[in-house]
Amino acid sequence: MERTVIPRNTWAKALILLAAFWLLTLLANAYSHYVDPYAKYQLYLLTFFFPLLSFGLAFWDGRQNGFHWIWFLIPIVCFTSIVFVLLNESALMFNLFMLIPAVVGSALGGWLKKRQKG
């Protein structure tokens, strides 16, 4: 049985994704609380920016390392970590909005890497 090793730069991209999720959610919560209590900046983050960020990092990783199965887990783990602390459990349905772009980005990046090689 062959052992699959996850590259270090993939873990670095996962940490970037985790830090971005936490930092942007904290900033949106603080801004909504202190400046404009009726604004729902979390909705913009959840539906547009976080999926775009997940796609971009997974695509970048796919171009460097090829497609990797870990991109099925990275966005879910990173996003779920903020759901129960900063948001509420109703935001769990947005996990698919993070997962699908990440997997597509990794697959597309891996495909482009393979195509560029040969």
Side-chain angles (χ1 to χ4, degrees):
M1 183 187 307
E2 187 177 322
R3 184 175 164 190
T4 306
V5 177
I6 301 168
R8 282 188 187 182
N9 59 4
T10 300
W11 290 117
K13 291 173 188 78
L15 288 175
I16 291 170
L17 189 66
L18 180 66
F21 281 0
W22 274 88
L23 182 65
L24 292 172
T25 305
L26 282 170
L27 288 174
N29 284 349
Y31 187 78
S32 293
H33 183 71
Y34 293 112
V35 177
D36 189 3
Y38 298 106
K40 297 295 180 193
Y41 295 103
Q42 292 90 357
L43 187 61
Y44 298 123
L45 289 174
L46 294 174
T47 58
F48 179 71
F49 191 72
F50 285 171
L52 189 63
L53 185 64
S54 296
F55 176 83
L57 287 172
F59 180 78
W60 181 24
D61 187 60
R63 289 284 295 175
Q64 287 181 340
N65 304 317
F67 176 76
H68 205 283
W69 61 268
I70 196 71
W71 283 101
F72 281 99
L73 297 175
I74 289 173
I76 290 176
V77 170
C78 292
F79 183 68
T80 304
S81 71
I82 66 167
V83 166
F84 294 111
V85 177
L86 299 175
L87 304 172
N88 59 26
E89 60 274 355
S90 66
L92 279 175
M93 69 179 191
F94 289 99
N95 261 333
L96 284 178
F97 285 163
M98 311 309 152
L99 173 67
I100 292 171
V103 171
V104 169
S106 182
L108 186 61
W111 178 75
L112 286 175
K113 178 184 179 184
K114 205 184 270 190
R115 189 166 186 226
Q116 185 180 23
K117 273 175 132 176

PDB file of all heavy atoms in Angstrom, residues 40-53:
ATOM      1  N   LYS A  40     -25.412  43.190   7.329  1.00  0.00           N
ATOM      2  CA  LYS A  40     -25.160  41.745   7.402  1.00  0.00           C
ATOM      3  C   LYS A  40     -23.947  41.391   6.538  1.00  0.00           C
ATOM      4  O   LYS A  40     -24.061  40.790   5.482  1.00  0.00           O
ATOM      5  CB  LYS A  40     -26.393  40.967   6.943  1.00  0.00           C
ATOM      6  CG  LYS A  40     -27.595  41.182   7.813  1.00  0.00           C
ATOM      7  CD  LYS A  40     -27.326  40.628   9.197  1.00  0.00           C
ATOM      8  CE  LYS A  40     -28.532  40.834  10.079  1.00  0.00           C
ATOM      9  NZ  LYS A  40     -28.243  40.603  11.460  1.00  0.00           N
ATOM     10  N   TYR A  41     -22.782  41.798   7.006  1.00  0.00           N
ATOM     11  CA  TYR A  41     -21.569  41.545   6.241  1.00  0.00           C
ATOM     12  C   TYR A  41     -21.200  40.068   6.227  1.00  0.00           C
ATOM     13  O   TYR A  41     -20.521  39.613   5.323  1.00  0.00           O
ATOM     14  CB  TYR A  41     -20.411  42.384   6.791  1.00  0.00           C
ATOM     15  CG  TYR A  41     -20.663  43.845   6.597  1.00  0.00           C
ATOM     16  CD1 TYR A  41     -21.080  44.639   7.648  1.00  0.00           C
ATOM     17  CD2 TYR A  41     -20.520  44.420   5.353  1.00  0.00           C
ATOM     18  CE1 TYR A  41     -21.338  45.986   7.468  1.00  0.00           C
ATOM     19  CE2 TYR A  41     -20.777  45.759   5.155  1.00  0.00           C
ATOM     20  CZ  TYR A  41     -21.187  46.533   6.218  1.00  0.00           C
ATOM     21  OH  TYR A  41     -21.451  47.855   6.022  1.00  0.00           O
ATOM     22  N   GLN A  42     -21.659  39.327   7.220  1.00  0.00           N
ATOM     23  CA  GLN A  42     -21.372  37.900   7.232  1.00  0.00           C
ATOM     24  C   GLN A  42     -21.969  37.219   6.014  1.00  0.00           C
ATOM     25  O   GLN A  42     -21.392  36.278   5.475  1.00  0.00           O
ATOM     26  CB  GLN A  42     -21.920  37.228   8.504  1.00  0.00           C
ATOM     27  CG  GLN A  42     -21.237  37.633   9.762  1.00  0.00           C
ATOM     28  CD  GLN A  42     -21.902  38.833  10.402  1.00  0.00           C
ATOM     29  OE1 GLN A  42     -22.840  39.398   9.864  1.00  0.00           O
ATOM     30  NE2 GLN A  42     -21.412  39.222  11.561  1.00  0.00           N
ATOM     31  N   LEU A  43     -23.130  37.677   5.581  1.00  0.00           N
ATOM     32  CA  LEU A  43     -23.772  37.071   4.420  1.00  0.00           C
ATOM     33  C   LEU A  43     -22.921  37.249   3.165  1.00  0.00           C
ATOM     34  O   LEU A  43     -22.783  36.319   2.364  1.00  0.00           O
ATOM     35  CB  LEU A  43     -25.162  37.666   4.213  1.00  0.00           C
ATOM     36  CG  LEU A  43     -26.013  37.016   3.142  1.00  0.00           C
ATOM     37  CD1 LEU A  43     -26.250  35.553   3.488  1.00  0.00           C
ATOM     38  CD2 LEU A  43     -27.323  37.735   2.998  1.00  0.00           C
ATOM     39  N   TYR A  44     -22.324  38.418   2.991  1.00  0.00           N
ATOM     40  CA  TYR A  44     -21.436  38.637   1.852  1.00  0.00           C
ATOM     41  C   TYR A  44     -20.199  37.744   1.943  1.00  0.00           C
ATOM     42  O   TYR A  44     -19.737  37.223   0.935  1.00  0.00           O
ATOM     43  CB  TYR A  44     -21.001  40.098   1.761  1.00  0.00           C
ATOM     44  CG  TYR A  44     -22.132  41.048   1.540  1.00  0.00           C
ATOM     45  CD1 TYR A  44     -22.358  42.093   2.424  1.00  0.00           C
ATOM     46  CD2 TYR A  44     -22.991  40.914   0.456  1.00  0.00           C
ATOM     47  CE1 TYR A  44     -23.397  42.973   2.237  1.00  0.00           C
ATOM     48  CE2 TYR A  44     -24.050  41.782   0.267  1.00  0.00           C
ATOM     49  CZ  TYR A  44     -24.245  42.805   1.150  1.00  0.00           C
ATOM     50  OH  TYR A  44     -25.278  43.677   0.961  1.00  0.00           O
ATOM     51  N   LEU A  45     -19.682  37.593   3.135  1.00  0.00           N
ATOM     52  CA  LEU A  45     -18.521  36.724   3.307  1.00  0.00           C
ATOM     53  C   LEU A  45     -18.870  35.273   2.998  1.00  0.00           C
ATOM     54  O   LEU A  45     -18.128  34.580   2.315  1.00  0.00           O
ATOM     55  CB  LEU A  45     -17.986  36.825   4.742  1.00  0.00           C
ATOM     56  CG  LEU A  45     -17.302  38.119   5.136  1.00  0.00           C
ATOM     57  CD1 LEU A  45     -16.959  38.099   6.620  1.00  0.00           C
ATOM     58  CD2 LEU A  45     -16.056  38.339   4.319  1.00  0.00           C
ATOM     59  N   LEU A  46     -20.011  34.825   3.515  1.00  0.00           N
ATOM     60  CA  LEU A  46     -20.390  33.422   3.366  1.00  0.00           C
ATOM     61  C   LEU A  46     -20.763  33.048   1.937  1.00  0.00           C
ATOM     62  O   LEU A  46     -20.514  31.925   1.504  1.00  0.00           O
ATOM     63  CB  LEU A  46     -21.567  33.090   4.287  1.00  0.00           C
ATOM     64  CG  LEU A  46     -21.293  33.152   5.779  1.00  0.00           C
ATOM     65  CD1 LEU A  46     -22.579  32.937   6.554  1.00  0.00           C
ATOM     66  CD2 LEU A  46     -20.260  32.133   6.176  1.00  0.00           C
ATOM     67  N   THR A  47     -21.377  33.954   1.217  1.00  0.00           N
ATOM     68  CA  THR A  47     -21.859  33.601  -0.117  1.00  0.00           C
ATOM     69  C   THR A  47     -20.921  33.991  -1.248  1.00  0.00           C
ATOM     70  O   THR A  47     -21.023  33.438  -2.333  1.00  0.00           O
ATOM     71  CB  THR A  47     -23.234  34.245  -0.391  1.00  0.00           C
ATOM     72  OG1 THR A  47     -23.116  35.658  -0.257  1.00  0.00           O
ATOM     73  CG2 THR A  47     -24.281  33.707   0.552  1.00  0.00           C
ATOM     74  N   PHE A  48     -20.024  34.927  -1.017  1.00  0.00           N
ATOM     75  CA  PHE A  48     -19.166  35.359  -2.105  1.00  0.00           C
ATOM     76  C   PHE A  48     -17.675  35.218  -1.798  1.00  0.00           C
ATOM     77  O   PHE A  48     -16.949  34.528  -2.509  1.00  0.00           O
ATOM     78  CB  PHE A  48     -19.473  36.823  -2.470  1.00  0.00           C
ATOM     79  CG  PHE A  48     -18.608  37.350  -3.571  1.00  0.00           C
ATOM     80  CD1 PHE A  48     -18.772  36.912  -4.866  1.00  0.00           C
ATOM     81  CD2 PHE A  48     -17.609  38.274  -3.304  1.00  0.00           C
ATOM     82  CE1 PHE A  48     -17.960  37.378  -5.884  1.00  0.00           C
ATOM     83  CE2 PHE A  48     -16.795  38.755  -4.316  1.00  0.00           C
ATOM     84  CZ  PHE A  48     -16.978  38.306  -5.606  1.00  0.00           C
ATOM     85  N   PHE A  49     -17.207  35.865  -0.749  1.00  0.00           N
ATOM     86  CA  PHE A  49     -15.770  35.956  -0.538  1.00  0.00           C
ATOM     87  C   PHE A  49     -15.140  34.644  -0.071  1.00  0.00           C
ATOM     88  O   PHE A  49     -14.078  34.254  -0.564  1.00  0.00           O
ATOM     89  CB  PHE A  49     -15.426  37.089   0.435  1.00  0.00           C
ATOM     90  CG  PHE A  49     -13.967  37.389   0.464  1.00  0.00           C
ATOM     91  CD1 PHE A  49     -13.361  38.030  -0.598  1.00  0.00           C
ATOM     92  CD2 PHE A  49     -13.186  37.001   1.530  1.00  0.00           C
ATOM     93  CE1 PHE A  49     -12.007  38.285  -0.602  1.00  0.00           C
ATOM     94  CE2 PHE A  49     -11.833  37.256   1.549  1.00  0.00           C
ATOM     95  CZ  PHE A  49     -11.240  37.899   0.478  1.00  0.00           C
ATOM     96  N   PHE A  50     -15.754  33.963   0.882  1.00  0.00           N
ATOM     97  CA  PHE A  50     -15.175  32.705   1.373  1.00  0.00           C
ATOM     98  C   PHE A  50     -15.115  31.632   0.285  1.00  0.00           C
ATOM     99  O   PHE A  50     -14.087  30.956   0.155  1.00  0.00           O
ATOM    100  CB  PHE A  50     -15.936  32.194   2.590  1.00  0.00           C
ATOM    101  CG  PHE A  50     -15.649  32.952   3.862  1.00  0.00           C
ATOM    102  CD1 PHE A  50     -16.408  32.715   4.990  1.00  0.00           C
ATOM    103  CD2 PHE A  50     -14.640  33.886   3.952  1.00  0.00           C
ATOM    104  CE1 PHE A  50     -16.151  33.391   6.174  1.00  0.00           C
ATOM    105  CE2 PHE A  50     -14.376  34.571   5.123  1.00  0.00           C
ATOM    106  CZ  PHE A  50     -15.140  34.321   6.243  1.00  0.00           C
ATOM    107  N   PRO A  51     -16.166  31.434  -0.523  1.00  0.00           N
ATOM    108  CA  PRO A  51     -16.028  30.459  -1.619  1.00  0.00           C
ATOM    109  C   PRO A  51     -14.958  30.863  -2.635  1.00  0.00           C
ATOM    110  O   PRO A  51     -14.220  30.012  -3.134  1.00  0.00           O
ATOM    111  CB  PRO A  51     -17.414  30.442  -2.267  1.00  0.00           C
ATOM    112  CG  PRO A  51     -18.331  30.888  -1.203  1.00  0.00           C
ATOM    113  CD  PRO A  51     -17.553  31.869  -0.378  1.00  0.00           C
ATOM    114  N   LEU A  52     -14.853  32.157  -2.917  1.00  0.00           N
ATOM    115  CA  LEU A  52     -13.831  32.630  -3.841  1.00  0.00           C
ATOM    116  C   LEU A  52     -12.430  32.400  -3.278  1.00  0.00           C
ATOM    117  O   LEU A  52     -11.515  31.972  -3.998  1.00  0.00           O
ATOM    118  CB  LEU A  52     -14.051  34.109  -4.134  1.00  0.00           C
ATOM    119  CG  LEU A  52     -13.219  34.735  -5.240  1.00  0.00           C
ATOM    120  CD1 LEU A  52     -13.546  34.073  -6.571  1.00  0.00           C
ATOM    121  CD2 LEU A  52     -13.496  36.217  -5.307  1.00  0.00           C
ATOM    122  N   LEU A  53     -12.264  32.637  -2.002  1.00  0.00           N
ATOM    123  CA  LEU A  53     -10.989  32.391  -1.337  1.00  0.00           C
ATOM    124  C   LEU A  53     -10.651  30.895  -1.328  1.00  0.00           C
ATOM    125  O   LEU A  53      -9.512  30.503  -1.599  1.00  0.00           O
ATOM    126  CB  LEU A  53     -11.023  32.940   0.091  1.00  0.00           C
ATOM    127  CG  LEU A  53      -9.749  32.880   0.903  1.00  0.00           C
ATOM    128  CD1 LEU A  53      -8.673  33.755   0.269  1.00  0.00           C
ATOM    129  CD2 LEU A  53     -10.016  33.339   2.321  1.00  0.00           C
TER     130      LEU A  53
END
